[in-house]
Amino acid sequence: IVPRHSRRVRTLVEALGQALRNRRTSLGMRQQDVADRAGCTATNIYVVERGERELKVGTLEDLAVAVGCTGWELLRDAMDVKNRAVSP
């Protein structure tokens, strides 16, 4: 569960979750597929995609690799999601 942080942190956590979901679905992967590749459970993927869990850097990289990108690329995707959310 996301601790009570600033709205900016919550927004980033939510954007990372959406970016992960976007990558996963564009590849036709199930949450279980990502979980198997990242070494976690489908429940973990569900919680991350909903923006309910902050990620450690290592976990971010594991999830990114599981969907065929780097942690930096997933962060960039998250920023794109965030920027689209605030654009008119």
Side-chain angles (χ1 to χ4, degrees), residues 38-59:
C40 62
T41 67
T43 301
N44 291 131
I45 303 303
Y46 172 79
V47 173
V48 168
E49 287 184 352
R50 288 179 47 90
E52 296 175 354
R53 178 163 298 149
E54 291 184 24
L55 299 176
K56 294 181 181 178
V57 173
T59 304

Side-chain angles (χ1 to χ4, degrees), residues 5 11-12 16-17 20-21 25 27 31 33 35 38-39 47 55-57 65-66 70-71 77 79 86 88:
H5 286 298
T11 300
L12 178 57
L16 273 168
L20 178 64
R21 180 182 299 119
T25 58
L27 295 169
Q31 289 175 337
D33 299 328
V47 173
L55 299 176
K56 294 181 181 178
V57 173
V65 168
T70 67
D77 291 354
M79 291 307 298
V86 293

Side-chain angles (χ1 to χ4, degrees), residues 2 5-20 47-55 57 60 71-83 85-86:
V2 176
H5 286 298
S6 72
R7 180 67 190 143
R8 289 185 309 189
V9 171
R10 287 193 310 270
T11 300
L12 178 57
V13 170
E14 291 165 1
L16 273 168
Q18 184 63 48
L20 178 64
V47 173
V48 168
E49 287 184 352
R50 288 179 47 90
E52 296 175 354
R53 178 163 298 149
E54 291 184 24
L55 299 176
V57 173
L60 171 68
W72 287 111
E73 290 169 317
L74 197 57
L75 283 168
R76 184 200 61 220
D77 291 354
M79 291 307 298
D80 290 344
V81 166
K82 179 186 168 292
N83 290 336
V86 293

